[in-house]
Amino acid sequence: MKLTHSLLAALLATALTTPALSEESPTLYKRLGGYDALAAVTDDFLGRLLPDPKLGRFFVGHSSDSLNRIRGEIIDFLCVVSKGPCSYSGRDMKKAHGGLKITDEDWDISVKALSTTLDKFKVPAVERKEVLTAVSGLKGDIVGR
């Protein structure tokens, strides 16, 4: 589940590194559709990763309750980094992925799943680019840990 946490957490982390929007510009959180949209993206993405033959190993041993808690943390993280009204208390990406030995292949499969999710929800090009840029920026904190 930690792999999922990081990739979805990365979805909107770009909001922290991109130039500030003017006061009148909507936040990335609002441009993406708010909390319900983040929850829908999270659910779809998790739905792609959990049954994946290669990535499923990261989810072994999680109870339904544990998966629901992690889902909530992912949504809260996405909300915070996109300048929404939530708080996040989870671990940073390096700590969350320590010992998992995530490979470049795992990474590529996850990014492809994320891209498919973004396609499904017809995320506009500007926001899609922000999301994928954020994901690529976290690779060093995730792969090989």
Side-chain angles (χ1 to χ4, degrees):
M1 196 63 193
K2 293 173 185 171
L3 174 65
T4 302
H5 179 273
S6 67
L7 290 178
L8 288 174
L11 278 178
L12 303 173
T14 291
L16 298 176
T17 60
T18 55
L21 298 172
S22 71
E23 293 286 328
E24 293 116 32
S25 297
T27 63
L28 182 57
Y29 174 81
K30 289 188 181 205
R31 289 183 285 138
L32 289 170
Y35 190 90
D36 290 343
L38 298 180
V41 165
T42 299
D43 290 341
D44 187 80
F45 185 61
L46 286 172
R48 293 175 195 286
L49 297 184
L50 289 167
D52 185 272
K54 178 98 169 104
L55 302 181
R57 72 185 190 275
F58 296 111
F59 304 98
V60 173
H62 287 284
S63 67
S64 295
D65 183 58
S66 177
L67 291 173
N68 283 330
R69 180 187 51 77
I70 292 168
R71 174 191 179 266
E73 288 179 354
I74 293 167
I75 296 167
D76 287 344
F77 180 86
L78 296 175
C79 181
V80 168
V81 299
S82 64
K83 309 261 191 262
C86 303
S87 62
Y88 172 73
S89 60
R91 296 175 293 162
D92 67 46
M93 296 304 105
K94 287 181 181 181
K95 288 180 184 174
H97 298 89
L100 293 179
K101 299 178 183 171
I102 296 167
T103 66
D104 283 316
E105 181 184 8
D106 297 331
W107 176 265
D108 293 342
I109 293 167
S110 298
V111 171
K112 183 177 178 185
L114 173 59
S115 185
T116 301
T117 292
L118 297 175
D119 287 343
K120 176 182 175 179
F121 288 98
K122 299 178 180 163
V123 174
V126 170
E127 287 77 13
R128 180 186 179 85
K129 182 178 178 183
E130 288 181 45
V131 167
L132 295 175
T133 298
V135 169
S136 67
L138 292 173
K139 184 176 181 180
D141 289 345
I142 296 168
V143 174
R145 300 246 166 234

